[in-house]
């Protein structure tokens, strides 16, 4: 079959990537969607079981740090568009091992940009290089204010500085080589298939296993949470309707102090597990703070709302309830990803906390 567009999605076996891929494969049968993923600890093909046999889906196992391989994939599949999600994404891991973040998030991005530039040349009509980034590039807010697209960059962790660096390089390929790029910077995502090293699935998994719930510092740091399927719909919107050269902030206007969020998960879990109210809260343990822990992130998403008509579809209580149900109903997924390497990571990460 002749496809209308060949799209390369990087990091499609990860948390957000798998939701983006599912949406593209199911909603756009005339697109061929190629998933390039190295299957690191965070990549899991079982996230994609329901679409793996679709006629418009293809998986390529490979590392974006391998420039030759990236070039081969571009020419083999006649790639017209890239949605670039592959990254090392966990702040705590970036504190213990920054080099991998520099390699994947910066060098990997440059390899993809070079392949797009070389393969597309001057034929850039209908081409698009869409780079998925984070609100963490803007640094940390005080009690007031929101990040807009004009907020100066001020990244503070090896993770956020590697993402900031890749954002700058993507923009430089637009200004210098006229490469048709788009970017978006999103707040914290939550939902099904998130690796349980991140706060929400970690707390759910620990309550399930009656383990301590580690809250960094006093739990006063604030994050702005967005349901992952709403992020996927925003990415779809920017990909199809966003302007070349533009950046869009994506967020849920849904700020929570970590401790309040953990309380809410505890209370929902007590209800869903039909256990005594307060049981889960009794597991909360305040532990040593994250080094350089950013106090507050919050996104002003008015540009994407006003220019492209995107808004989150559900409120946080609903999203959190759906998310908890997913983890409770997908025990084998949780057990698989928390065996082996995860156990080692967990004991190192929380040993002195
Ligand atoms: P994730 O860690 O769940 O998944 C990352 C995926 O990339 C995995 O499938 C992994 O195997 C793959 N990958 C890693 N290194 C690779 C390499 N060198 N070559 C090829 N594939 C590689 O990440 P996520 O949470 O789904 O985040 C996806 C993107 O969205 C990232 O760019 C992240 O910076 C950004 N983002 C995440 C959030 C969030 O809350 N999770 C918020 C805003 C932006
Ligand atoms: O803001 C967007 C970013 O959100 C993304 O770019 C990152 O890829 C994603 O990992 C996420 O980063 P955070 O560091 O905010 O997410 P994390 O789930 O690791 O932590 C959320 C908050 O919870 C943060 O303030 C640290 C705190 N925390 C985290 C863990 C793992 C705890 O208190 N205890 C924990 O055990």
């Amino acid at each position: 079959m002749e496809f209308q567009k060949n799209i390369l999605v990087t990091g499609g076996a990860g948390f957000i990537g798998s939701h983006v891929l599912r949406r593209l494969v199911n909603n756009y049968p005339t697109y061929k969607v190629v998933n390039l993923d190295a299957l690191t600890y965070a990549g899991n093909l079982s996230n994609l079981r329901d679409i793996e046999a679709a006629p418009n889906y293809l998986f390529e196992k490979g590392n974006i740090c391998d420039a030759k391989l990236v070039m081969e994939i571009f020419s083999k599949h006649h790639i017209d568009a890239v949605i670039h999600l592959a990254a090392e994404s966990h702040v705590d891991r970036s504190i213990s091992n920054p080099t991998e973040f520099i390699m994947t998030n910066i060098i990997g991005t440059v390899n993809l940009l070079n392949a797009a530039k070389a393969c597309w040349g001057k034929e850039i009509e209908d081409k698009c290089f869409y780079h998925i980034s984070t609100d963490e590039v803007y640094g940390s807010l005080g009690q007031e204010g929101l990040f807009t697209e004009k907020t100066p960059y001020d990244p503070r962790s090896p993770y956020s500085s590697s993402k900031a660096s890749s954002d700058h390089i993507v923009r430089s390929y637009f200004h210098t080589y006229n490469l048709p790029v788009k970017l978006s910077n999103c707040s914290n995502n939550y939902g099904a298939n998130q690796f349980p090293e991140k706060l929400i699935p970690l707390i759910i998994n620990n309550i399930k296993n009656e383990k301590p719930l580690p809250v960094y510092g006093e739990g006063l740091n604030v994050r702005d949470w967005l349901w992952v399927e709403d992020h996927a719909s925003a990415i779809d919107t920017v990909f199809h309707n966003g302007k070349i050269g533009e950046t869009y902030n994506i967020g849920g206007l849904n700020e929570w102090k970590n401790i309040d969020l953990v309380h809410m998960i505890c209370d929902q879990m007590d209800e869903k597990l039909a256990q005594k109210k307060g049981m889960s809260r009794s597991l909360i343990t305040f532990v040593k703070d994250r080094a350089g822990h950013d106090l507050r992130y919050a996104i002003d998403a008015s540009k994407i709302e006003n220019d492209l008509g995107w808004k989150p579809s559900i409120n946080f209580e609903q999203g959190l309830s759906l998310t908890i149900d997913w983890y409770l109903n997908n025990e084998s997924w949780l057990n698989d990803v928390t065996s082996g390497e995860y156990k080692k990571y967990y004991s190192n990460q929380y040993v002195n906390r």
Side-chain angles (χ1 to χ4, degrees):
M1 167 172 174
E2 183 71 14
F3 288 101
Q4 192 193 330
K5 234 184 223 314
N6 300 320
I7 305 178
L8 179 66
V9 174
T10 67
F15 168 48
I16 302 170
S18 59
H19 290 274
V20 170
L21 261 176
R22 175 170 303 102
R23 194 180 169 97
L24 289 174
V25 166
N26 289 337
N27 294 359
Y28 303 97
T30 60
Y31 296 170
K32 178 170 91 175
V33 187
V34 180
N35 173 18
L36 171 61
D37 197 300
L39 300 183
T40 68
Y41 78 94
N44 186 346
L45 287 180
S46 74
N47 295 347
L48 298 165
R49 282 284 174 264
D50 55 322
I51 54 156
E52 67 187 3
N56 61 337
Y57 170 69
L58 261 169
F59 174 62
E60 293 273 9
K61 182 170 189 291
N63 195 317
I64 57 169
C65 297
D66 181 345
K68 188 163 161 273
L69 174 97
V70 169
M71 196 68 87
E72 278 164 14
I73 284 173
F74 255 78
S75 33
K76 177 168 141 199
H77 296 292
H78 307 287
I79 296 301
D80 304 299
V82 179
I83 304 181
H84 175 35
L85 294 119
E88 286 293 338
S89 71
H90 186 39
V91 174
D92 291 322
R93 287 187 191 249
S94 84
I95 293 167
S96 45
N97 185 8
T99 310
E100 268 181 49
F101 285 71
I102 307 304
M103 295 310 295
T104 289
N105 299 357
I106 305 179
I107 306 297
T109 302
V110 172
N111 288 338
L112 288 158
L113 288 164
N114 284 341
K117 176 172 163 281
C119 292
W120 298 343
K122 293 201 175 353
E123 309 284 307
I124 53 168
E125 209 192 323
D126 292 333
K127 302 285 193 283
C128 171
F129 189 106
Y130 180 8
H131 178 62
I132 308 300
S133 192
T134 169
D135 60 359
E136 299 200 12
V137 299
Y138 298 121
S140 182
L141 291 165
Q143 303 299 339
E144 299 284 308
L146 301 172
F147 296 132
T148 74
E149 289 80 0
K150 295 202 164 72
T151 302
Y153 275 28
D154 183 21
R156 288 136 169 273
S157 72
Y159 164 67
S160 56
S161 51
S162 66
K163 292 294 291 186
S165 171
S166 64
D167 291 11
H168 289 313
I169 297 168
V170 170
R171 290 194 187 98
S172 79
Y173 273 59
F174 170 66
H175 291 290
T176 311
Y177 306 116
N178 207 23
L179 196 78
V181 310
K182 297 177 186 178
L183 295 92
S184 57
N185 294 74
C186 189
S187 61
N188 285 61
N189 285 213
Y190 70 96
N193 303 99
Q194 186 169 31
F195 194 76
E197 64 185 358
K198 307 277 173 78
L199 184 67
I200 291 183
L202 183 131
I203 296 295
I204 296 171
N205 187 43
N206 283 15
I207 293 174
K208 240 179 108 254
N209 295 301
E210 296 174 30
K211 281 173 57 178
L213 312 180
V215 174
Y216 295 165
E218 297 175 76
L220 300 179
N221 302 66
V222 175
R223 297 292 182 265
D224 173 0
W225 294 93
L226 180 70
W227 191 43
V228 64
E229 294 196 28
D230 280 331
H231 189 193
S233 89
I235 289 174
D236 183 342
T237 302
V238 172
F239 180 67
H240 286 101
N241 304 322
K243 266 174 67 185
I244 294 295
E246 293 283 321
T247 295
Y248 298 87
N249 278 358
I250 303 170
L253 269 187
N254 178 42
E255 292 181 48
W256 286 83
K257 275 196 188 102
N258 290 339
I259 188 62
D260 296 337
L261 167 60
V262 171
H263 283 155
M264 186 168 167
I265 302 173
C266 287
D267 297 348
Q268 285 205 16
M269 286 289 282
D270 284 349
E271 242 184 85
K272 288 179 193 285
L273 297 173
Q275 58 190 27
K276 210 168 124 226
K277 193 163 170 15
M279 277 246 316
S280 300
R281 286 192 188 209
S282 70
L283 296 170
I284 293 173
T285 312
F286 291 95
V287 297
K288 187 168 163 242
D289 210 351
R290 173 184 279 173
H293 197 174
D294 288 340
L295 177 66
R296 175 173 165 256
Y297 305 141
I299 279 279
D300 175 350
S302 52
K303 178 175 173 183
I304 185 171
E305 182 175 346
N306 296 337
D307 292 6
L308 306 180
W310 173 88
K311 265 210 276 212
S313 70
I314 59 173
N315 71 36
F316 191 49
E317 278 203 23
Q318 289 170 305
L320 191 61
S321 173
L322 287 173
T323 302
I324 294 175
D325 290 344
W326 188 86
Y327 287 96
L328 294 179
N329 293 331
N330 287 274
E331 209 163 32
S332 63
W333 184 94
L334 250 186
N335 291 343
D336 283 354
V337 302
T338 52
S339 61
E341 203 266 351
Y342 179 80
K343 287 211 167 91
K344 246 189 281 157
Y345 164 80
Y346 197 91
S347 54
N348 287 338
Q349 176 64 19
Y350 294 98
V351 67
N352 289 321
R353 287 192 137 128

